Amino acid sequence: MLAKRIIPCLDVRDGRTVKGVNFVNLRDAGDAVELAQLYSRSGADELTFLDITATVENRSTFSSLVRRIADHIGIPFTVGGGIRTTADVGVLLDSGADKISINSQVVANPSVIDTLSLQYGSQCVVCAIDARRNSAFDTPTQEGWEVYVHGGRTPTGLEVVSWAKEAYNRGCGEILLTSMEHDGVKQGFALDLTRRVGEAVGIPVIASGGAGKMEHFVDVFTQAKADAALAASIFHFHEIDIPELKIFLSQHGITMRNRQ
Amino acid sequence: MKIAVVKYNAGNIRSVLCALKRLGYDATVTDDFAELASADRVIFPGVGEASTAMAYLKERGLDAFLKTLKQPFLGICLGMQLMCSFSEEHDTSCLGIFDVPVKKFVPTCGEKIPHMGWNTLQVEEDPLYTGLQDPVWCYFVHSYYVPVCSETIAKTEYAHIEFSASLRHDNFWGCQFHPEKSGDLGELILKNFLEAL
């Protein structure tokens, strides 16, 4: 049985992780590679690294970090943040990234998805969608959600489910769906929206935003049928540890890869 | 030990080199016949599309040459599929080392394609899988699959289809999954390929 995936997300600035992580037994809590190794050892199924500075000057710092991650980590990882050109993508994939996550740029120019999936294969193109509630998109039976870009600051006028469908039709291989309403609130994932996006596309959906306790992961895998769940601070701050989470989810009948 | 990685137009060769490095081995990426022939091990990795890859191999005569190699040879993912007789991916005629065609996954009840993520292997006795204990979780990313056949040495199930996770014919092995991305277990499989054959 294919396992549901647990994905810790690391924010990186100048090659180092930010958002105060409080891991013990680390020589340097800010070193992205060391943190990644720790997560890999604790049973994370994949890792995501987001370059939050994402300025042109920092591209080379980020790609050299990607090379170091690939040297040391034996599980798949996705990188994102500030990707502007197909050349950026080429550099990151050549540096050893398995997938790249794209967001603002593809909303402005959706044909980038077609180009990237043809050139590098759908499997490495992750379309990140930041979603916010907007009642203007409500239907008589469903809540409406709008796609936002630039870290959730700029509305785009696009409805989330139809945008996800378009990204899928253009050849992206995975959807990373973040509810800006739920992000950081720790009250659970956006279940209804995640389920609707999953039903609209024939590719895996990674749910992000809102994880606060282990039950939230049960809900997102069973009710919302997500293929993977991504979280940051609850893992960084040890509010939930991955080995316990995986045991808990297995006990709830969810297929998990348990590390030997 | 001399390890050669076949150089062709497929992606993600660096991941294989990194995994070998973690095991303490260096490898040469080459399409030179003499270098390939003199290597102790040959690895044929690959992420990409079958017809483009076969066209490249044919252009350089690698299609006929690779079949003649005598040392342990390991095809990974697309590499394994190219070692089969034929692929439904753009109806491509392949190397024919494994006497089995490659088929496309067709979702029967809403399964997501590609088959992407961690799945378990049902492993038969083979030196490549020495020392592994159940459950053997490995990382897969593929939209085409090889049906179970007489050369199957490990099976996996997805979308209600049981398929070949691994094949063997004499000195030729294939893995549909990515050992270089399958954590400690994957590294053990690569180590077996280098040390247990």
Side-chain angles (χ1 to χ4, degrees):
Chain A
M1 272 271 275
L2 184 65
K4 300 284 188 181
R5 289 171 277 155
I6 302 292
I7 308 176
C9 178
L10 288 78
D11 287 346
V12 173
R13 173 186 287 156
D14 301 330
R16 299 170 58 78
T17 51
V18 293
K19 258 195 197 170
V21 286
N22 67 347
F23 274 106
V24 287
N25 304 324
L26 279 189
R27 274 181 287 119
D28 176 359
D31 182 57
V33 174
E34 223 177 319
L35 242 176
Q37 281 177 306
L38 202 118
Y39 277 128
S40 174
R41 281 197 295 270
S42 73
D45 298 304
E46 263 180 60
L47 298 168
T48 292
F49 298 85
L50 293 179
D51 180 8
I52 59 164
T53 43
T55 57
V56 175
E57 309 84 72
N58 277 312
R59 300 316 298 165
S60 63
T61 314
F62 192 55
S63 61
S64 66
L65 173 68
V66 171
R67 293 183 79 84
R68 283 178 54 222
I69 295 165
D71 286 339
H72 291 95
I73 303 298
I75 60 170
F77 67 96
T78 302
V79 299
I83 294 167
R84 288 180 182 83
T85 65
T86 52
D88 289 340
V89 172
V91 168
L92 294 170
L93 292 175
D94 287 345
S95 302
D98 297 285
K99 311 178 198 177
I100 51 98
S101 154
I102 41 178
N103 185 350
S104 306
Q105 191 217 20
V106 293
V107 172
N109 183 8
S111 68
V112 171
I113 301 173
D114 307 61
T115 310
L116 290 176
S117 59
L118 277 176
Q119 195 166 346
Y120 301 108
S122 289
Q123 82 291 335
C124 70
V125 182
V126 181
C127 182
I129 302 177
D130 292 342
R132 266 189 204 283
R133 274 283 287 125
N134 182 344
S135 54
F137 292 100
D138 283 0
T139 68
T141 52
Q142 280 167 336
E143 289 187 336
W145 291 76
E146 184 175 3
V147 178
Y148 272 65
V149 290
H150 303 122
R153 292 189 302 272
T154 315
T156 63
L158 294 167
E159 192 274 321
V160 168
V161 178
S162 51
W163 168 239
K165 233 186 235 178
E166 179 178 348
Y168 161 59
N169 288 331
R170 286 179 178 275
C172 88
E174 238 176 353
I175 302 281
L176 167 56
L177 178 67
T178 303
S179 162
M180 308 301 291
E181 306 291 342
H182 296 72
D183 201 28
V185 187
K186 300 190 179 177
Q187 297 296 309
F189 295 90
L191 299 178
D192 183 56
L193 179 67
T194 304
R195 184 185 49 75
R196 281 167 52 208
V197 169
E199 284 168 359
V201 300
I203 50 176
V205 175
I206 305 164
S208 157
K213 47 184 188 175
M214 298 203 280
E215 286 79 2
H216 295 151
F217 288 88
V218 176
D219 295 343
V220 84
F221 289 134
T222 57
Q223 295 178 36
K225 309 265 191 322
D227 299 282
L230 177 142
S233 59
I234 52 154
F235 295 140
H236 300 330
F237 291 108
H238 286 289
E239 288 164 34
I240 294 177
D241 280 323
I242 293 172
E244 285 101 296
L245 174 62
K246 287 193 151 187
I247 291 167
F248 183 83
L249 293 174
S250 298
Q251 287 166 348
H252 283 76
I254 297 162
T255 308
M256 285 280 126
R257 173 182 76 114
N258 287 315
R259 221 172 151 276
Q260 287 167 325
Chain B
M1 173 179 293
K2 198 175 150 198
I3 305 167
V5 173
V6 180
K7 181 178 168 185
Y8 71 119
N9 58 340
N12 223 3
I13 282 178
R14 181 166 153 79
S15 301
V16 173
L17 298 178
C18 289
L20 294 173
K21 192 94 186 167
R22 287 194 292 275
L23 291 168
Y25 292 93
D26 284 317
T28 315
V29 181
T30 180
D31 57 3
D32 182 82
F33 286 17
E35 271 207 83
L36 288 167
S38 66
D40 301 299
R41 296 287 185 277
V42 175
I43 299 179
F44 186 39
V47 171
E49 191 275 319
S51 68
T52 333
M54 275 310 297
Y56 183 100
L57 295 174
K58 275 187 182 153
E59 207 176 290
R60 283 155 185 80
L62 281 163
D63 58 329
F65 174 74
L66 293 178
K67 290 195 273 196
T68 65
L69 290 171
K70 296 282 176 268
Q71 67 275 64
F73 182 104
L74 176 66
I76 297 172
C77 196
L78 177 67
M80 176 180 104
Q81 296 191 354
L82 295 176
M83 292 160 74
C84 296
S85 57
F86 174 85
S87 173
E88 286 185 5
E89 190 171 17
H90 294 120
D91 292 334
T92 306
S93 174
C94 299
L95 301 180
I97 293 166
F98 301 123
D99 186 20
V100 59
V102 182
K103 294 178 136 356
K104 189 175 175 41
F105 272 124
V106 179
T108 48
C109 39
E111 295 93 350
K112 310 293 176 76
I113 307 295
H115 170 222
M116 180 191 287
W118 297 82
N119 207 330
T120 47
L121 263 57
Q122 264 181 279
V123 177
E124 283 177 22
E125 204 166 308
D126 188 276
L128 191 62
Y129 298 107
T130 305
L132 295 177
Q133 284 174 349
D134 280 335
V136 182
W137 286 101
C138 287
Y139 187 79
F140 291 83
V141 187
H142 59 124
S143 302
Y144 293 79
Y145 70 94
V146 178
V148 172
C149 63
S150 61
E151 289 160 327
T152 302
I153 55 169
K155 292 184 282 195
T156 295
E157 198 199 309
Y158 184 66
H160 307 284
I161 294 166
E162 199 176 45
F163 64 88
S164 297
S166 188
L167 296 165
R168 180 182 177 181
H169 180 86
D170 300 333
N171 60 315
F172 292 96
W173 278 263
C175 298
Q176 181 60 66
F177 58 91
H178 288 273
E180 76 280 14
K181 283 288 162 185
S182 297
D184 297 343
L185 279 180
E187 280 178 20
L188 180 58
I189 293 166
L190 283 176
K191 195 173 154 68
N192 283 341
F193 177 69
L194 300 174
E195 297 173 8
L197 308 181

